[in-house]
């Protein structure tokens, strides 16, 4: 396959791979598998496919490396600290491998799709025997087969434009919500970001495959779906006969799905049609995660984000005109190479203007091979840290002020379960994605229920179920 071609794997081809898993089960099954996931929702989704394939091969999921016969680390390459954590954790398994040489230790995902990392793992971490990148996910049954039949180290780190595979058996965590990938890859090449290098070109799943999966999830009892893509606005561009707004509306019409969310739209091309579709369907959550990254136009240009702060504010206004109650969240990078203190002040100003419900903020991390990696810094690490703290202080105040306005109101909450810290308390989310901890009847777990808010915190709300 040439590097520019997308490899589409049909259900029939996947069926052959699954038949191999059935044979592996007969020969090797009965053990346990531990899959540890780093990074974003897409990685969580890929891990669900890996767990599903492992289960099909007879390896039941477990919660710790100590009791596992197969250990897989599904890695993230977006920032250096996530990579360092992976190196630390796989290094720590050296003793386990010495004690139990039959254990298979694998490392997969985005980190492996970077050549220098794959090389480092093979040369430094000899106890890791199974190494494969994001493009090899659908080939996992064959890789597993080789690893189980002990043909030494198994590696699949080939670069490609990307794979799209239907029919993989996802093993999802129990709960009210499920994620569904609608597309893979990214063509945007924001200058700080490694994702386009490790996840290949944008490619969309056929709408009928997405709808069939959502229907199956509804039949299994899931109430909420999260549609996933690095840039969901690009959905369908490679198919030609659909677009994201059309798919969103089709998903919203699947019977039994109480809530639809999506992640992530790009501010450069989110359309009015998408906002109108959100407004038109009661079960599409009035929530927008719209990554800003920076508030200064020179920095946005250097990031190759292809919008200005003025463009961004127009989208926010258009969204609020149609959905006054919408919650808006964002991603911010502090300390992009060349960003000055004055330019950073424009990011703080955007927080005040947009008044986000929550932000996810990161200090810039240099990624080898990206354009920004060659751009010079003007701020020291201490200055960047100071800006980062200032950002959090402003946002925490705004989040609390917004949450205070909910006190006394009655909201619809999808109850997810019992609180992890207090068994007498239930926990769920509002349509806007806010966590609500509340007292009520556990019968409402898995259902929509009305909750009156009695108290507000910076990151959550507290309430009582309305009888
Ligand atoms: N350094 C810091 N943060 C980054 N992100 C992506 N690449 C980097 C990087 N090199 C952040 C962006 C993106 C989020 C998923 O991760 O804010 O939206
Ligand atoms: Fe990375 Fe930009 Fe693509 Fe998001 S849109 S994955 S930040 S390159």
């Amino acid at each position: 396959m040439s590097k520019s071609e997308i490899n589409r794997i049909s259900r029939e081809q996947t069926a052959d791979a699954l038949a191999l898993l059935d044979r592996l089960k007969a020969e090797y099954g009965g053990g346990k598998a531990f899959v540890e996931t780093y990074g974003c929702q897409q990685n969580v989704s890929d891990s669900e496919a890996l767990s599903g394939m492992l289960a099909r091969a007879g390896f039941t999921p477990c919660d710790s490396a100590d009791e596992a016969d197969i250990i897989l680390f599904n890695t993230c390459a977006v920032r250096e600290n996530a990579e360092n954590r992976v190196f630390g954790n796989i290094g720590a398994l050296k003793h386990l491998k010495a004690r139990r040489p039959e254990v298979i230790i694998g490392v997969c995902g985005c980190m492996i799709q970077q050549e220098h990392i794959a090389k480092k793992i093979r040369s430094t971490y000899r106890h890791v025997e199974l190494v494969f990148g994001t493009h090899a996910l659908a080939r996992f049954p064959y890789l597993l087969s080789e690893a189980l039949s002990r043909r030494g180290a198994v590696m699949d780190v080939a670069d490609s434009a990307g794979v799209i595979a239907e029919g993989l058996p996802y093993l999802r965590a129990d709960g009210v919500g499920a994620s569904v990938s609608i597309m893979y890859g990214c063509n945007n090449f924001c200058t700080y970001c490694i994702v386009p290098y490790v996840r290949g070109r944008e490619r969309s799943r056929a709408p009928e495959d997405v709808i069939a999966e959502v229907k199956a999830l509804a039949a299994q009892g899931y109430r909420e779906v999260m549609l996933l893509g690095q840039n969901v606005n690009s959905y369908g561009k490679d198919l030609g006969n659909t677009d994201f707004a059309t798919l969103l509306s089709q998903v919203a019409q699947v019977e039994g799905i109480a809530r639809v969310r999506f992640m992530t739209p790009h501010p450069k091309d989110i359309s009015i049609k998408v906002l109108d579709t959100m407004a038109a369907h009661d079960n599409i959550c009035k929530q927008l995660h719209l990554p800003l990254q920076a508030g200064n136009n020179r920095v946005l240009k250097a990031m190759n984000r292809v919008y200005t702060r003025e463009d961004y504010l127009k989208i926010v206004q258009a969204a609020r005109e149609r959905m006054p109650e919408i919650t808006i969240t964002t991603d911010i990078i502090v300390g992009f190479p060349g960003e000055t203190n004055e330019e950073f002040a424009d990011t703080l100003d955007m927080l005040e203007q947009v008044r986000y419900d929550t932000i996810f903020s990161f200090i810039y991390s240099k990624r080898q091979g990206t354009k920004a990696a060659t751009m010079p810094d003007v701020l020291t690490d201490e200055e960047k840290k100071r800006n980062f703290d200032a950002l959090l202080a402003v946002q925490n105040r705004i989040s609390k002020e917004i949450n205070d306005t909910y006190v006394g109101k009655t909201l619809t909450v999808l109850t997810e379960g019992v609180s992890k810290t207090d068994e007498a308390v239930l926990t769920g989310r509002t349509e806007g994605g806010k966590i609500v901890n509340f007292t009520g009847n556990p019968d409402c777990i898995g259902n929509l229920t009305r909750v009156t808010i009695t108290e507000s915190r910076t990151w959550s709300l507290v309430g009582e179920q309305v009888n």
Side-chain angles (χ1 to χ4, degrees), residues 403-455:
N403 282 351
D404 284 347
T405 67
Y406 285 89
V407 175
K409 289 189 181 154
T410 299
L411 307 174
T412 303
V413 171
L414 179 56
T415 317
E416 293 177 358
V418 172
S419 158
K420 283 195 187 96
T421 49
D422 184 349
E423 273 192 18
V425 174
L426 299 171
T427 184
R429 278 179 198 268
T430 66
E431 185 180 337
K434 288 183 189 287
I435 296 171
V436 184
N437 295 309
F438 62 100
T439 49
N441 187 334
D443 283 355
C444 70
I445 292 174
N447 291 313
L448 297 174
T449 189
R450 299 284 285 168
V451 175
T452 301
I453 304 304
T454 54
E455 214 182 299

Side-chain angles (χ1 to χ4, degrees), residues 80-383:
E80 193 182 3
N81 54 10
E83 292 191 342
N84 289 340
R85 259 194 307 135
V86 169
F87 285 128
N89 289 343
I90 55 179
L93 289 182
K94 208 168 169 183
H95 299 298
L96 185 144
K97 180 73 178 173
R99 216 170 56 236
R100 292 168 48 210
E102 71 285 3
V103 174
I104 294 175
I105 301 175
V107 182
C108 62
C110 291
M111 272 172 78
I112 301 304
Q113 218 61 66
Q114 303 172 91
E115 209 179 325
H116 68 283
I117 302 263
K119 274 196 186 135
K120 176 171 169 177
I121 288 180
R122 283 307 304 140
S123 61
T124 318
Y125 299 89
R126 309 290 303 183
H127 57 293
V128 174
E129 288 167 314
L130 178 55
V131 180
F132 60 101
T134 54
H135 300 312
L137 182 77
R139 290 194 290 272
F140 179 65
Y142 303 100
L143 303 174
L144 181 66
S145 169
E146 277 190 56
L148 286 167
S149 56
R150 297 275 168 239
R151 283 198 255 149
V154 180
M155 249 183 125
D156 189 338
V157 298
D159 193 12
S160 87
V163 182
I164 189 159
E166 291 301 334
L168 295 178
Y170 285 77
L171 185 65
R172 293 178 161 92
D174 286 339
V176 295
S179 297
V180 175
S181 292
I182 61 166
M183 60 179 302
Y184 307 91
C186 182
N187 290 356
N188 290 319
F189 291 92
C190 300
T191 55
Y192 51 80
C193 186
I194 195 73
V195 168
Y197 301 90
V198 296
R199 285 208 170 263
R201 299 291 61 76
E202 286 174 355
R203 50 212 187 266
S204 307
R205 291 178 69 194
E208 52 276 18
D209 289 326
V210 175
I211 302 298
E213 185 169 348
V214 173
K215 282 186 178 160
L217 291 169
Q220 284 168 48
Y222 288 100
R223 306 298 316 279
E224 178 174 311
V225 290
M226 166 75 89
L227 305 179
L228 291 181
Q230 300 298 341
N231 175 12
V232 291
N233 317 119
S234 292
Y235 176 78
K237 283 185 185 159
D238 53 333
L239 302 175
N241 54 356
T242 184
D243 60 15
F244 178 59
T246 305
L247 182 77
L248 189 58
S249 140
Q250 287 167 326
V251 169
Q253 288 168 58
V254 172
E255 212 169 303
I257 295 297
R259 282 180 171 180
V260 182
R261 300 184 196 277
F262 60 88
M263 220 169 52
T264 309
H266 193 304
K268 80 177 162 62
D269 53 10
I270 185 166
S271 65
I272 293 297
K273 192 173 165 196
V274 168
L275 298 178
D276 285 340
T277 305
M278 290 174 75
H281 292 271
D282 281 347
N283 63 345
I284 301 180
C285 292
K286 307 301 177 261
Q287 176 198 15
L288 205 51
H289 180 67
L290 197 61
L292 172 67
Q293 311 300 1
N296 175 271
N297 285 342
R298 189 204 65 80
V299 176
L300 285 170
K301 191 148 194 259
M303 288 177 160
N304 191 32
R305 292 292 288 176
V306 205
Y307 54 83
T308 61
R309 54 191 275 129
E310 293 77 19
D311 298 332
Y312 187 100
L313 288 169
K314 275 191 202 137
I315 303 164
V316 169
Q317 191 189 349
R320 288 199 168 129
E321 272 165 17
R322 285 162 181 77
M323 299 164 277
E325 74 284 25
I326 196 166
T327 61
I328 302 183
T329 59
T330 201
D331 290 346
I332 302 279
I333 296 177
V334 176
F336 181 78
E339 185 181 60
T340 64
N341 285 325
E342 291 71 38
E343 287 169 340
F344 169 72
D346 286 342
T347 300
L348 291 183
D349 181 62
M350 282 297 272
L351 298 197
E352 301 288 359
Q353 292 209 39
V354 177
R355 290 184 62 82
Y356 293 104
D357 287 84
T358 311
I359 64 167
F360 299 87
S361 47
F362 314 97
I363 290 186
Y364 169 76
S365 168
K366 189 188 265 195
R367 306 286 64 210
Q368 192 173 316
T370 61
K371 202 165 167 206
T374 59
M375 297 179 186
D377 262 330
V378 292
L379 298 186
T380 62
D381 287 352
E382 291 72 48
E383 286 173 302

Side-chain angles (χ1 to χ4, degrees), residues 50-98:
L50 289 165
S51 296
M53 289 187 269
L54 283 162
R56 183 90 180 236
F59 292 88
T60 49
C62 67
D63 297 330
S64 86
D66 278 334
E67 48 174 324
D69 302 285
I70 298 179
I71 301 167
L72 271 188
F73 288 94
N74 189 11
T75 64
C76 170
V78 167
R79 282 172 293 274
E80 193 182 3
N81 54 10
E83 292 191 342
N84 289 340
R85 259 194 307 135
V86 169
F87 285 128
N89 289 343
I90 55 179
L93 289 182
K94 208 168 169 183
H95 299 298
L96 185 144
K97 180 73 178 173

Side-chain angles (χ1 to χ4, degrees), residues 386-406:
R386 208 178 309 138
N387 287 346
F388 184 79
D389 291 342
L391 186 82
L392 289 190
V394 168
Q395 183 54 41
N396 287 349
R397 169 179 55 74
I398 294 172
S399 294
K400 180 71 167 79
E401 283 169 4
I402 293 176
N403 282 351
D404 284 347
T405 67
Y406 285 89

